[in-house]
Amino acid sequence: MSVSHPAIEIDHLSCAFRRSEALHDVTLSIPTGCVFGLVGLNGAGKTTLIRHLIGGLRPRTGRVRVLGEDPTQTPESVMQHVGYVAEEDVLPRWMRVGELIDFMRALYRNWDDQLCDKLLEQFSLDRSTKLADMSKGGRARAGLLVALAHRPQLLILDEPSYGLDPIARQDILEAVVRTASDEGRTVLFSSHLLDEVSRVCDTVGVIGGGRLLEVIATEQLPERYCEVVGELSIDDLAQRELPGFFGWQNRGREWSVAVDRRAYPDEATLRREIGGELVHEVRPLSLERWFSARVNDRELATIPRTPAVEELSA
Amino acid sequence: MLLHITTDGPPIYQQIVEQIRYRIVSGQLGVGDELPTIRGLAESSRVNPNTVARAYRELENEGLVEKRRTVGTFVAASEAKLTAAERRRLIAPHIDRVLVQAKQLGVPLDDLLAQMTQRNAKLHDAPIPTPAKESK
Amino acid sequence: MNATYALTKYAWTRYRIFLLLLFSALLVSAIFTPLLWISRAPMWLARMTASVGYLALLSGLFGSLALFGFSRKSSLLDPTSGYDPWLLRQPIVNWKLAIIPAGLITAWISMLWAIVLLIVQMFGGQDIPPFALVIVPQSLGMSACAIAMCSLVWMPFRAAWLRIALLIVAIPMLYFVGLGAMIVFASIPEWMPWAAFGIVACYIASIAIAYSSVKLARVAAFQQTDSQQTGSQQSKFTTAAACDRAVAATSRSFPGCVDALDWYDSKRSRATKLRQVLMISPVIAILIFLVPFSSVTAIITLMFVTIIVGWTVSARFEPTVWGARSSLPSYLIASPLPTRTIAWVRLRAYLREYPAAIGVMTLLWMTCFIWPSNRVAASQWWTQLAADSASSLTPLRIVVAIYLAILVTMLGLTLRQGCVLLRGRQSLVLWTIGVVCMASIVTLISCLSWFMQQGDWEHVRRSLDDWLQWSYQLFYLAIVAKLLFDASVVWLASKNMFSWRELASGITGWCVAVVLAAVAWYALWPLGGVRFVTVLMATSLAIPLSVWFAGPLAVRANRHHQVT
């Protein structure tokens, strides 16, 4: 497959279940070779987005292209190159590990037996164990094995480490890193565990309430944003309206806010804008703080302004 | 090479740079020793390969390691390529931290300078010193 | 008292829908039957509402097991306890966990049984003299059976086959003993004290068993560790597991993805099939061995049995249909399998079950001829048929023709059901099953209620002939409807997934099959006035065409779900 198109291309995708809106006008392009982390709270729309990518949902408005093709039109050819690990524990429990492997091997053209054996050994799985007798972590490893052993060009992991023990999580992260190290392979990694995302992803997208709020390269995050911590004086409430400020949080009189550095040429200007001595510290924005700022900001935007201000001054 | 990476500290590439630098300065890695491949280090420490590559670039810029084409990355023999000004800029935040601590404990500057000289002498006697980071 | 309330509430919230349906059916029947009886409405309508109520009562009686059994088990093959593990973790003492469901079962059964007897007394005109004296021991006896069965499900076993073996032995035994005691109680007054003593003893024993099984279940639930679990699983099917293991340990390579899917589909439903066979076998055994045989009851019994067997194959509740948003698991959705392959292989798997179903039915028909009276009746029937059609009609030909007819009709039924299941919408599946169930039950009840009252065979035959004449209109209507439906499916298929060439080959294949089957049929059983065209049309009605195109379309809609 040529590298001319991005691995994943989503154009103005919207989706609504009954009354609730699951996705609202999402546009996203993930280039080949990228390790993309999709973060968001539970129910933010991560799984809905991923279900569109594997062809489980047919877009009503918008367009989805995976490896240059529509996964609902030509699942036979697209899915040959996609590895997918589902959020839920869905593997057929009546199968044995060996039977699962044999079944999956028959479906994929470029199944790699050597890699499969290597992974079996690494994940310490036994071909004769029944999936029903295995622990949740064991089943997750088996799912990961069959998603990796055909050397997919695109690996999609939907909350892979949810509810797993630390060792199983490490195995999953290692698999992601290994896939990413190979040339021309893409990983989409959905999670709400930010430390995993910040370790392995080079690009992060935050999704909240069905909207893709921001996409940024993890490397750029500390350069682009900073966190300002200071003390609030009552008559300075208007500061909330300063450009590039978002995600206010306060504990007592002390407050913290995320600031977009592009609005201010240097730190001195920033301090002067806020009002000098109020500021305790200006530090680079961590991924956690960025995430909570983006998600909180969206929630604030949906509720009326005034109560939020009162809450802040209280 | 087993690195200890945390996600709530400084940026990950910086943690890699600091830990490798410490190993080189303290003599655990000698001149001409080969560093693990980017891929190998990324897999063993479960970090994005690009981050490891960036850390290696940083180390190369500092002159601590050198990249030999198609062979790998090795600890450099040459002296540091950094200019004096750059070195001063890099050490400044650490000095600041020590000064703040000293002021809070009420250690006068003269005493501090004396202690620094004393400890420096001790550091050069001992083969493997305790790093400033951990003694903090 | 609080625990009683909580557990009753639990049963109510879990089975609310069924209970509401049951109560509303009872209410409707209780209100409308007397009204219809008094008014000048046709008699069959009144009888129908009465039988609806009666059916609801009976299903309530049988359903008490599920209602207060608190079971969450999906498979009887699971050696662990079937008591709801969530309840086992609650701070309720053991004896309450055992006694309360037992008490609820008893109360429920006595209530329903009292209603049944009341109805019988009021409308049937039969007088049952000491009313309370009859109800109490009879409902106690039935409750004892029900509690004993529940405790067999609650009991944790070391090996799974033990539970199944016990169930197979215990269920017919319980029914024999329970029914026997009731009959003895009602008919032989001298033995009454002994029977009453026996019933009470059985009841106490069943409660004791229930208590011990809950206690064991609790101990097992708390002590269960992974190693124990795997240990017990290992000892479960030692021989079968050993050879399965050996197969799994060496890698097998399927020639292609179709073969792999074929293997998957046939193996996937193995447990479900086994469970269903286990579930229906006691019912069939009871029907066959307990119903006193005469030529009429034999026919009724066989009709029931055939329907039950047919339903078990076709109306199977796929485990994936329940609970999941789609009946296709995500590893199949995200696999590179072509949609058509998924659909056709699944339909083929349904077809494969046919030999087994037909075999069971053959066996059942054969068992009927153990009784000499049935053999005599059958031979009379045959000779009469042969005389009527005035041709060389041998019994063998009749049997083969009937077989062919059953095969073709059931095949079509299953394939259509399979298509609905492939669509994977839980609500759709439930609605279809509900509508088909209601339709068949209503027809069956009305037929039976009419049939039971006829004493004169000649009259039955004459009305049957009349009805056949009249049903020709229905037959033509059905053919037109089928043609329209098939045409619309073919049109939809041509729009979406299939080229005209594929459609043409499908239709040609279907035509060939229809003609061949019709010719075979006509040759086997040349009925007097029936023309070949009629046989051909009937065959075309029975053999489904649209499923081969509707199946892939259903899978496609299921796989790539369109959000509305």
Side-chain angles (χ1 to χ4, degrees):
Chain A
M1 210 164 282
S2 69
V3 202
S4 57
H5 47 72
I8 291 173
E9 221 179 342
I10 301 171
D11 257 352
H12 300 289
L13 178 69
S14 294
C15 169
F17 296 109
R18 301 260 162 82
R19 261 162 251 113
S20 63
E21 196 173 38
L23 288 177
H24 179 84
D25 198 24
V26 173
T27 300
L28 173 68
S29 171
I30 300 179
T32 307
C34 176
V35 182
F36 188 90
L38 190 64
V39 295
L41 301 175
N42 289 330
K46 298 189 293 271
T47 300
T48 312
L49 187 68
I50 286 176
R51 280 172 65 91
H52 275 102
L53 295 178
I54 59 159
L57 290 170
R58 189 189 294 270
R60 177 144 273 230
T61 51
R63 203 177 65 114
V64 173
R65 290 287 176 276
V66 174
L67 303 172
E69 288 180 76
D70 184 346
T72 60
Q73 287 302 324
T74 49
E76 303 91 307
S77 63
V78 182
M79 293 306 161
Q80 278 290 351
H81 306 287
V82 175
Y84 169 63
V85 178
E87 174 188 21
E88 315 97 21
D89 187 8
V90 287
L91 291 178
R93 297 195 172 206
W94 48 269
M95 274 194 191
R96 287 167 198 282
V97 175
E99 290 173 334
L100 179 73
I101 289 171
D102 294 338
F103 176 61
M104 288 302 199
R105 190 173 62 171
L107 307 189
Y108 291 96
R109 273 197 302 274
N110 24 7
W111 186 271
D112 187 338
D113 279 321
Q114 279 177 340
L115 177 64
C116 177
D117 290 342
K118 211 177 108 192
L119 287 171
L120 265 176
E121 197 181 331
Q122 192 197 329
F123 293 163
S124 51
L125 292 170
D126 182 13
R127 286 183 64 96
S128 57
T129 332
K130 225 176 174 179
L131 284 168
D133 297 347
M134 288 163 74
S135 67
K136 199 177 167 191
R139 273 196 295 274
R141 284 193 189 91
L144 191 64
L145 184 147
V146 292
L148 286 174
H150 63 279
R151 293 197 177 274
Q153 291 183 356
L154 170 65
L155 180 66
I156 298 177
L157 304 168
D158 190 1
E159 301 263 358
S161 39
Y162 185 71
L164 295 186
D165 54 282
I167 308 292
R169 280 189 211 172
Q170 285 179 5
D171 282 343
I172 285 171
L173 289 187
E174 206 175 318
V176 170
V177 171
R178 183 173 308 131
T179 312
S181 311
D182 285 344
E183 206 54 41
R185 301 227 214 158
T186 317
V187 181
L188 175 73
F189 184 85
S190 130
S191 178
H192 55 242
L193 299 171
L194 293 167
D195 60 324
E196 292 185 350
V197 171
S198 64
R199 270 186 114 103
V200 299
C201 296
D202 47 32
T203 314
V204 187
V206 60
I207 193 166
R211 283 155 209 264
L212 193 63
L213 300 173
E214 192 180 5
V215 176
I216 191 169
T218 28
E219 274 188 11
Q220 281 173 7
L221 192 71
E223 290 153 24
R224 170 88 182 272
Y225 296 108
C226 60
E227 183 183 9
V228 180
V229 182
E231 201 150 311
L232 185 83
S233 65
I234 304 300
D235 42 316
D236 280 336
L237 283 176
Q239 281 162 3
R240 288 176 55 82
E241 307 302 334
L242 282 174
F245 277 51
F246 61 98
W248 289 77
Q249 275 181 0
N250 73 313
R251 288 280 175 280
R253 287 184 58 76
E254 204 171 66
W255 46 260
S256 145
V257 64
V259 180
D260 191 343
R261 281 195 212 257
R262 283 179 307 178
Y264 306 93
D266 51 31
E267 213 178 290
T269 336
L270 176 61
R271 282 175 183 266
R272 202 172 52 240
E273 286 286 321
I274 299 173
E277 71 281 7
L278 285 171
V279 176
H280 290 319
E281 194 185 356
V282 176
R283 56 182 178 220
L285 194 65
S286 69
L287 187 72
E288 279 87 353
R289 185 67 186 87
W290 170 75
F291 173 72
S292 65
R294 277 292 173 218
V295 172
N296 286 342
D297 221 38
R298 205 203 76 80
E299 280 172 6
L300 276 182
T302 54
I303 57 170
R305 200 78 171 170
T306 30
V309 174
E310 277 164 14
E311 187 185 302
L312 197 77
S313 60
Chain B
M1 192 187 286
L2 284 172
L3 299 185
H4 175 71
I5 307 288
T6 58
T7 48
D8 49 356
I12 293 171
Y13 85 91
Q14 219 164 313
Q15 294 180 40
I16 300 175
V17 166
E18 262 171 37
Q19 290 183 37
I20 294 179
R21 188 197 285 141
Y22 170 68
R23 282 176 199 225
I24 293 173
V25 172
S26 67
Q28 285 178 31
L29 283 172
V31 171
D33 281 357
E34 191 180 357
L35 293 185
T37 59
I38 291 177
R39 187 185 170 139
L41 188 60
E43 277 177 28
S44 68
S45 49
R46 288 176 290 275
V47 161
N48 192 300
N50 291 344
T51 315
V52 177
R54 187 178 172 191
Y56 276 24
R57 269 203 309 278
E58 198 91 353
L59 285 167
E60 209 184 342
N61 286 345
E62 284 183 22
L64 283 168
V65 303
E66 60 182 355
K67 204 173 253 169
R68 291 180 206 156
R69 217 163 270 229
T70 71
V71 185
T73 315
F74 297 88
V75 176
S78 59
E79 280 299 302
K81 286 178 203 157
L82 294 176
T83 62
E86 273 174 324
R87 269 179 265 174
R88 273 195 210 110
R89 187 178 56 78
L90 281 174
I91 199 81
H94 300 278
I95 296 178
D96 284 354
R97 219 179 302 156
V98 176
L99 285 175
V100 168
Q101 199 80 19
K103 195 172 182 187
Q104 191 228 332
L105 292 171
V107 181
L109 189 64
D110 293 346
D111 196 5
L112 190 71
L113 283 174
Q115 260 197 52
M116 274 195 158
T117 330
Q118 207 180 340
R119 290 199 71 84
N120 188 38
K122 240 184 198 169
L123 200 73
H124 281 284
D125 289 345
I128 299 168
T130 22
K133 208 179 119 210
E134 279 173 30
S135 65
K136 185 182 66 173
Chain C
M1 201 56 214
N2 278 332
T4 320
Y5 172 74
L7 289 182
T8 320
K9 188 84 185 292
Y10 176 83
W12 164 252
T13 40
R14 235 180 105 183
Y15 297 100
R16 208 168 2 199
I17 296 171
F18 300 103
L19 285 173
L20 281 176
L21 274 177
L22 187 77
F23 285 135
S24 50
L26 271 179
L27 210 68
V28 164
S29 149
I31 292 171
F32 281 95
T33 312
L35 281 180
L36 287 169
W37 218 281
I38 296 161
S39 71
R40 298 246 178 126
M43 218 45 189
W44 60 268
L45 208 64
R47 245 182 255 129
M48 203 137 107
T49 48
S51 50
V52 163
Y54 204 72
L55 211 74
L57 273 177
L58 281 183
S59 57
L61 270 180
F62 282 111
S64 60
L65 284 183
L67 204 57
F68 301 108
F70 298 142
S71 176
R72 280 212 177 262
K73 194 179 277 298
S74 57
S75 164
L76 288 173
L77 287 169
D78 188 0
T80 53
S81 162
Y83 206 96
D84 191 338
W86 180 77
L87 283 180
L88 285 181
R89 283 198 302 271
Q90 302 311 313
I92 309 174
V93 285
N94 284 340
W95 65 266
K96 276 191 182 172
L97 279 182
I99 297 275
I100 290 171
L104 287 174
I105 287 176
T106 315
W108 174 259
I109 286 181
S110 341
M111 185 184 81
L112 292 185
W113 190 238
I115 298 174
V116 170
L117 286 188
L118 261 177
I119 292 171
V120 168
Q121 202 171 19
M122 280 164 75
F123 296 102
Q126 266 172 329
D127 207 31
I128 302 167
F131 198 67
L133 207 72
V134 176
I135 288 180
V136 172
Q138 284 187 345
S139 38
L140 268 189
M142 279 191 284
S143 316
C145 290
I147 294 166
M149 281 194 3
C150 279
S151 27
L152 274 183
V153 175
W154 295 343
M155 185 84 83
F157 285 99
R158 212 164 255 289
W161 58 265
L162 207 62
R163 186 202 310 277
I164 286 158
L166 272 176
L167 276 176
I168 288 172
V169 172
I171 290 172
M173 212 173 74
L174 282 173
Y175 275 105
F176 273 120
V177 172
L179 286 173
M182 274 166 59
I183 291 166
V184 162
F185 201 83
S187 51
I188 309 170
E190 304 92 74
W191 287 11
M192 210 185 256
W194 289 109
F197 175 75
I199 284 171
V200 172
C202 277
Y203 188 74
I204 290 169
S206 69
I207 284 183
I209 297 172
Y211 172 71
S212 61
S213 59
V214 166
K215 200 172 160 186
L216 283 173
R218 243 192 175 172
V219 171
F222 283 118
Q223 281 182 348
Q224 207 169 56
T225 58
D226 275 0
S227 63
Q228 266 184 334
Q229 206 177 6
T230 46
S232 68
Q233 299 268 2
Q234 272 166 3
S235 66
K236 195 163 65 173
F237 300 113
T238 329
T239 47
C243 79
D244 261 19
R245 251 154 207 278
V247 168
T250 59
S251 84
R252 152 175 41 185
S253 60
F254 296 103
C257 65
V258 178
D259 304 83
L261 192 64
D262 221 3
W263 168 85
Y264 168 85
D265 261 340
S266 63
K267 205 170 172 198
R268 178 185 56 107
S269 51
R270 198 194 267 172
T272 327
K273 274 182 271 183
L274 197 62
R275 193 162 68 235
Q276 275 169 343
V277 169
L278 282 176
M279 252 159 51
I280 62 163
S281 54
V283 181
I284 290 173
I286 290 158
L287 279 176
I288 288 180
F289 293 108
L290 289 191
V291 175
F293 267 88
S294 70
S295 56
V296 178
T297 44
I299 289 171
I300 296 170
T301 314
L302 277 177
M303 268 170 72
F304 261 118
V305 168
T306 313
I307 287 164
I308 288 171
V309 171
W311 267 97
T312 7
V313 178
S314 55
R316 213 181 34 218
F317 290 109
E318 302 277 327
T320 40
V321 172
W322 288 97
R325 208 178 299 166
S326 141
S327 67
L328 289 178
S330 60
Y331 55 85
L332 280 188
I333 293 177
S335 72
L337 281 167
T339 303
R340 296 173 195 201
T341 314
I342 296 178
W344 285 339
V345 170
R346 180 72 63 91
L347 287 177
R348 213 163 64 190
Y350 283 122
L351 287 187
R352 292 253 173 85
E353 288 171 19
Y354 263 79
I358 296 291
V360 170
M361 273 172 40
T362 317
L363 216 69
L364 291 177
W365 282 89
M366 304 283 250
T367 38
C368 281
F369 296 106
I370 293 173
W371 285 269
S373 61
N374 289 338
R375 283 203 292 269
V376 173
S379 71
Q380 272 173 2
W381 191 53
W382 277 327
T383 42
Q384 201 175 6
L385 260 178
D388 281 357
S389 57
S391 60
S392 55
L393 204 60
T394 56
L396 187 71
R397 279 170 76 168
I398 297 178
V399 168
V400 172
I402 289 177
Y403 252 60
L404 201 62
I406 291 175
L407 193 74
V408 166
T409 348
M410 275 178 57
L411 220 74
L413 194 78
T414 310
L415 284 179
R416 286 176 195 119
Q417 189 77 32
C419 250
V420 174
L421 285 177
L422 281 177
R423 178 61 189 84
R425 288 269 299 274
Q426 202 172 323
S427 53
L428 181 81
V429 172
L430 287 181
W431 271 110
T432 320
I433 288 174
V435 166
V436 172
C437 253
M438 277 315 282
S440 46
I441 284 174
V442 166
T443 337
L444 206 75
I445 285 174
S446 43
C447 279
L448 277 180
S449 58
W450 174 81
F451 193 69
M452 295 286 230
Q453 300 203 326
Q454 308 303 317
D456 184 14
W457 260 112
E458 268 313 300
H459 178 63
V460 173
R461 280 174 55 105
R462 248 181 291 119
S463 10
L464 219 65
D465 280 343
D466 288 349
W467 192 80
L468 273 177
Q469 290 303 319
W470 182 70
S471 66
Y472 263 104
Q473 323 291 331
L474 268 180
F475 179 65
Y476 291 130
L477 206 72
I479 286 178
V480 170
K482 184 186 161 81
L483 280 180
L484 280 177
F485 181 74
D486 282 356
S488 61
V489 168
V490 165
W491 177 77
L492 206 68
S494 77
K495 281 267 170 196
N496 280 299
M497 277 182 90
F498 293 88
S499 65
W500 280 109
R501 207 189 148 116
E502 288 161 323
L503 288 172
S505 56
I507 292 169
T508 318
W510 176 76
C511 289
V512 169
V514 167
V515 169
L516 283 180
V519 165
W521 222 331
Y522 192 70
L524 279 171
W525 197 352
L527 286 170
V530 182
R531 280 167 300 163
F532 176 69
V533 182
T534 318
V535 177
L536 192 70
M537 281 164 95
T539 320
S540 72
L541 201 63
I543 296 183
L545 164 66
S546 50
V547 286
W548 302 110
F549 307 117
L553 287 176
V555 168
R556 202 170 96 121
N558 190 6
R559 193 180 191 187
H560 313 298
H561 185 66
Q562 168 96 59
V563 181
T564 47

